[in-house]
Amino acid sequence: MAGTPGTPRVLRAMNDRAALDLLLEHGTLSRTRIGKLTGLSKPTASQLLARLEAAGLVLATGTTAGRPGPNAQLYSVNPAAAHVAGLDVTTERIRAAVADITGRTVGSFRLPTPHHRAGSAVEQVVQALDGAVKAAGLGRSDLHRAVIGTPGAFDPSTGRLRYASHLPGWHSPALLDELAAALPMPLEYDNDVNLAAVAEQRIGAARGHDDFVLLWNEEGIGAALMIGGRLHRGWTGGAGEVGFLPVPGTPLVRNVTRTNNGGFQELAGCNAVLRHARELGLDIPEGPLPDAAAAVLCRAAAVHAEGGEGGAEPYAELLARCATGMAVGLASVVAVLDPELIVLAGDVAVAGGEPLRALIQSELAELAVPRPRLVLGSVEMHPVLSGALESALATTRDEVFDTSR
């Protein structure tokens, strides 16, 4: 049981957490350095480290060398204190990873899940998770928590996945109960774009920002809404499903839940990029639509960087059309939320690089009164999976690092 605020137990726990957070930030620190950073006396810092070492939360990892005076003992967070898992689910694959309490990824696994693949969603999740756990040299019981990111969102009132009819096998009303029965650790679920926003806020382009929108453009278009440092999910979990947003420039799409499509998706999604490319006579590589769209935009950005020599006009026009499409949808989002920052993420959104970002910024300035700054997402390696791990780590650290209990 936690102590009463202001009691020695609570004050010790607050000092413990401050020291652990500093060790996570810096990697290794000496007792003297921890004392200076926390304002604790040397005896108190020594008692703190002894307490954390006895609890298995820190390790003595070596000593300083090459400095005047005696060598100082160095300490770091014990990576074996806890492990978490994250999973990123799409129509084509499940990507899983395991991280230790310091945030270091210690195992990963990719499970292809084409539409014809046999097996239920539960079986696929378990197989992907087991693959990552095995790669980490651990067992399922070693995991303190797992976070699963999917398209759409699980409705809090029904437990059913909504806004993702294209994800086969994930719409059973009993799915969450079946997953809980199959896996022996606390499970959390979140929208994939929301998790990408968590990653950008913790370790990426939105670090230090409490009010921002992340616009994701890859297989589909979606947004994550961070307001006052908290994700806004909406009543049914559907906040940010902006791909369904009716926008000028496309026919009005009705029955969007049945068609799993909407105006903004038609105007600026990967299909729109490829449609513009065909109209402009550009070569389109073979492969999945998001990959092909990203490749064309990447080529357009490269031509722009080369100075636009020889046949650059179609690529410049492609960038201009895509910028207008994304700015039109963003204008509605900006008018409602007035965010401080917009992060462009997802393979299609970032493939156009700085040229596309600058064009969207310019177009948005003409379409909306608020003028938030636009930046490219900087979490390059699997942002949804990174966000799942960051989310799992945040909760697990709160639990494991709480020495007041």
Side-chain angles (χ1 to χ4, degrees), residues 377-402:
S378 62
V379 180
E380 297 179 358
M381 292 297 293
H382 315 313
V384 175
L385 184 60
S386 296
L389 289 172
E390 287 294 326
S391 179
L393 283 167
T395 304
T396 299
R397 286 167 180 164
D398 285 344
E399 295 172 351
V400 174
F401 290 172
D402 183 2

Side-chain angles (χ1 to χ4, degrees), residues 1 8 13 42 66 103 119 197 215-216 220 240 250 257-258 273 289 313 366 383 393 403 405:
M1 179 181 297
K42 288 184 179 180
L215 181 71
W216 180 269
T250 58
T257 54
R258 188 172 69 235
V273 175
L289 297 183
E313 292 83 0
E366 297 187 10
L393 283 167
T403 58
R405 293 179 295 180

